[in-house]
Amino acid sequence: MLTANASAPPADTHLKETPWGRSAIPIRRAADFTGLRLGRALQGYLAFLIAVSMLAPFRFVADAPPIPPMAGDQVALVLGFLMFLPLGYVYQFTRPRGAPVDWGRLLGLGAGLSVAVGAARLWIPGRTPAILEAAANVAGTLLGGWGYHRIFRMVRA
């Protein structure tokens, strides 16, 4: 007959109490690091695809760029929003399992990529970015991160 060792710690002492439940974040397995690296690679690939698709065709000119308008094409607003949704969703793959959404970094990611691509588009004739397009891109990134967090909580429950 097997008996429990009285001096042994309880079986769930490696779990850490967090606001969203018990989590084993402090203990890392090799698969966790592989998943984080894969998430970062996928996120970089998505950022590259977004930049290429937003900058095509690559006909840069050296003239002074125009001042970006406040509102742009409504189709560009919707497409930018939809294009940045996966970026926010995939960003959560680069975070430890069970970690909450890091809204500051997610905001920085969406705004950084959107402003970088928008700044490059200033030198493409006929492709003037609008300020609201950048805001739609950031909103898409934030909604993608929130969507991942929401789906993760539903699946976990």
Side-chain angles (χ1 to χ4, degrees):
M1 181 163 108
L2 295 176
T3 60
N5 185 355
S7 64
D12 63 349
T13 57
H14 68 283
L15 296 178
K16 178 180 167 190
E17 210 45 58
T18 61
W20 52 92
R22 295 175 71 79
S23 176
I25 291 176
I27 297 176
R28 303 285 182 170
R29 302 171 304 182
D32 292 337
F33 290 115
T34 301
L36 293 175
R37 285 192 301 268
L38 181 61
R40 288 182 182 129
L42 184 58
Q43 183 183 16
Y45 179 67
L46 277 175
F48 173 75
L49 288 179
I50 288 171
V52 167
S53 64
M54 290 181 78
L55 292 176
F58 300 103
R59 292 178 294 131
F60 295 103
V61 294
D63 294 339
I67 297 173
M70 181 57 102
D73 183 19
Q74 292 176 351
V75 174
L77 287 172
V78 173
L79 290 178
F81 179 83
L82 293 175
M83 192 179 308
F84 275 72
L85 269 173
L87 187 68
Y89 188 86
V90 169
Y91 169 74
Q92 290 303 110
F93 291 136
T94 67
R95 311 260 307 134
R97 182 178 299 160
V101 178
D102 186 356
W103 295 108
R105 285 189 180 180
L106 194 58
L107 178 70
L109 172 70
L113 182 60
S114 181
V115 167
V117 169
R121 281 178 55 188
L122 286 173
W123 282 274
I124 298 176
R127 299 288 311 275
T128 305
I131 295 171
L132 284 180
E133 287 179 19
N137 297 344
V138 172
T141 306
L142 293 174
L143 186 65
W146 176 83
Y148 175 88
H149 185 63
R150 185 76 176 149
I151 291 170
F152 181 76
R153 282 181 38 196
M154 288 186 332
V155 168
R156 190 171 179 189

